[in-house]
């Protein structure tokens, strides 16, 4: 379910001030702050298919008290991790609101997804992280590991790959294209984070920007190659095209398929 935050003069003013450099860089144009109808519909579809319907989607909401309550009620994470790493995550959320910095974030300790922009692939990436956390035998340890700056590259890579799988399986080229254009630079810049701790602030910023630029050009290269492949496939005779299944197919563990089920299929 979606919970929409109310207008907040202080937070909205702070966001406007923080966005000034971005507006100068992009000529005054930025994506909408509130996710549109299409973003909400696709995000809902992804979360339903991956059994994430109990994860509240907080749209431009700032509610530290509600986050503490969700932390207490989340029985998927062991108490040790909830009240150590989980508490720190809420402190960070309270001091540096995701809403102000236009961040889309899934918090595994509170089991909540904050959406603060109209970037669909960013919201899907965080929803994919929610799916990833639930697949782990020790979700608390996994979440704590990935909350450390510089170590979160693993979970981001897994999440982006899952979004790509979803877009390709459902044949949604706009989503797949946006992953190449937005999420590749995101991962590339994130990969530079560990090195920036040993650099001066200016050098660290230059490394981050350089990593993002590298990811952008790599993403555009992969996008062009994929688009060429899809065009060639569309021009093939229909009988030569490979059979595919529409819809997102969740991975199945190989050991979950019993010999009895195979015998029954035969």
């Amino acid at each position: 379910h979606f919970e929409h935050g109310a207008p907040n003069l202080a937070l909205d003013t702070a966001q406007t001030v923080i966005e000034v450099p971005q507006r100068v860089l992009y000529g005054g144009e930025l994506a909408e702050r509130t996710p549109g109808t299409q973003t909400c519909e696709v995000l809902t579809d992804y979360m339903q298919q991956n059994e994430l319907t109990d994860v509240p989607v907080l749209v431009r909401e700032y509610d530290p008290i509600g986050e503490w309550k969700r932390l207490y009620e989340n029985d998927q994470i062991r108490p040790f991790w909830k009240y150590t790493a989980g508490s720190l995550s809420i402190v960070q959320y309270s001091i540096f609101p995701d809403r102000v910095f236009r961040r889309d974030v899934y918090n595994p300790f509170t089991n909540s997804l904050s959406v603060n922009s109209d970037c669909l692939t960013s919201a899907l990436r965080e929803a994919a992280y929610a799916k990833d956390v639930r697949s782990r035998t020790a979700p608390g340890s996994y979440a704590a590991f990935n909350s450390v700056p510089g170590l979160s590259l693993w979970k981001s890579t897994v999440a982006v790959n899952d979004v790509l799988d979803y877009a390709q399986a459902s044949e949604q080229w706009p989503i797949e294209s946006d992953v190449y254009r937005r999420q590749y630079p995101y991962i590339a810049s994130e990969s530079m984070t560990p090195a920036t701790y040993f650099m001066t602030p200016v050098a660290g910023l230059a490394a981050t920007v350089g990593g993002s630029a590298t990811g952008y050009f790599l993403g555009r290269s992969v996008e062009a190659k994929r688009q060429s492949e899809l065009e060639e496939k569309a021009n093939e005779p229909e009988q030569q095209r490979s059979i595919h299944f529409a819809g997102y197919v969740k991975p199945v563990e190989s050991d979950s398929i019993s010999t009895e089920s195979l015998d029954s299929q035969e």
Side-chain angles (χ1 to χ4, degrees):
H1 61 279
F2 287 73
E3 299 179 10
H4 294 263
N8 186 303
L9 180 60
L11 295 179
D12 293 341
T13 301
Q15 181 176 5
T16 301
V17 173
I18 291 174
E19 287 178 348
V20 169
Q22 291 179 293
R23 292 188 180 278
V24 172
L25 181 63
Y26 294 107
E29 295 294 332
L30 288 179
E32 293 292 333
R33 295 178 176 179
T34 304
T37 302
Q38 182 181 12
T39 297
C40 294
E41 288 178 350
V42 176
L43 180 60
T44 298
D45 177 70
Y46 177 89
M47 297 180 74
Q48 286 178 342
Q49 293 195 40
N50 289 284
E51 301 177 356
L52 300 171
T53 53
D54 62 322
V55 178
V57 181
L58 313 179
V59 180
R60 289 186 55 76
E61 183 173 82
Y62 178 70
D63 183 19
I65 295 178
E67 285 291 88
W68 283 112
K69 181 180 179 181
R70 283 184 278 268
L71 178 74
Y72 174 77
E73 295 175 346
N74 184 13
D75 58 0
Q76 299 173 12
I77 306 292
R78 292 184 180 275
F80 173 79
W81 291 117
K82 283 202 303 183
Y83 298 115
T84 52
S87 296
L88 289 175
S89 71
I90 298 181
V91 171
Q92 180 183 21
Y93 167 88
S94 303
I95 300 175
F96 303 102
D98 299 327
R99 172 174 174 171
V100 171
F101 293 91
R102 199 191 281 257
R103 290 192 295 251
D104 298 329
V105 178
Y106 171 71
N107 188 331
F109 304 105
T110 60
N111 190 39
S112 59
L113 172 59
S114 296
V115 179
N116 298 285
S117 72
D118 194 30
C119 181
L120 172 58
T121 53
S122 176
L124 287 175
R125 182 194 69 228
E126 294 304 309
Y129 176 44
K131 170 188 172 182
D132 182 26
V133 169
R134 294 189 176 203
S135 69
R136 304 293 170 173
T137 55
S141 301
Y142 183 73
F145 173 85
N146 282 287
S147 64
V148 177
L151 300 181
S152 58
L153 179 63
W154 171 264
K155 62 102 172 175
S156 297
T157 303
V158 172
V160 169
N161 284 334
D162 192 80
V163 175
L164 267 180
D165 290 342
Y166 169 77
Q168 292 175 359
S170 56
E171 296 184 340
Q172 299 189 67
W173 171 248
I175 298 178
E176 182 180 351
S177 173
D178 199 61
V179 170
Y180 300 133
R181 297 188 177 205
R182 294 176 184 262
Q183 301 311 314
Y184 272 45
Y186 173 84
I187 291 180
S189 63
E190 194 172 18
S191 68
M192 300 302 298
T193 300
T196 59
Y197 293 118
F198 304 97
M199 301 178 179
T200 63
V202 175
L205 177 61
T208 301
V209 173
S212 180
T214 301
Y216 174 80
F217 288 112
L218 175 62
R220 293 304 295 266
S221 175
V222 176
E223 178 190 15
K225 181 179 179 181
R226 274 287 296 161
Q227 190 169 19
S228 177
E229 291 174 354
L230 292 174
E231 290 175 353
E232 291 178 2
K233 180 179 178 181
N235 293 329
E236 290 179 356
E238 185 174 355
Q239 62 271 21
Q240 295 182 7
R241 299 178 191 174
S242 59
I243 300 175
H244 66 275
F245 297 92
Y248 179 54
V249 181
K250 293 181 290 184
V252 179
E253 297 294 338
S254 58
D255 57 2
S256 65
I257 304 177
S258 64
T259 56
E260 291 81 357
S261 63
L262 293 176
D263 293 338
S264 64
Q265 290 178 10
E266 292 179 356

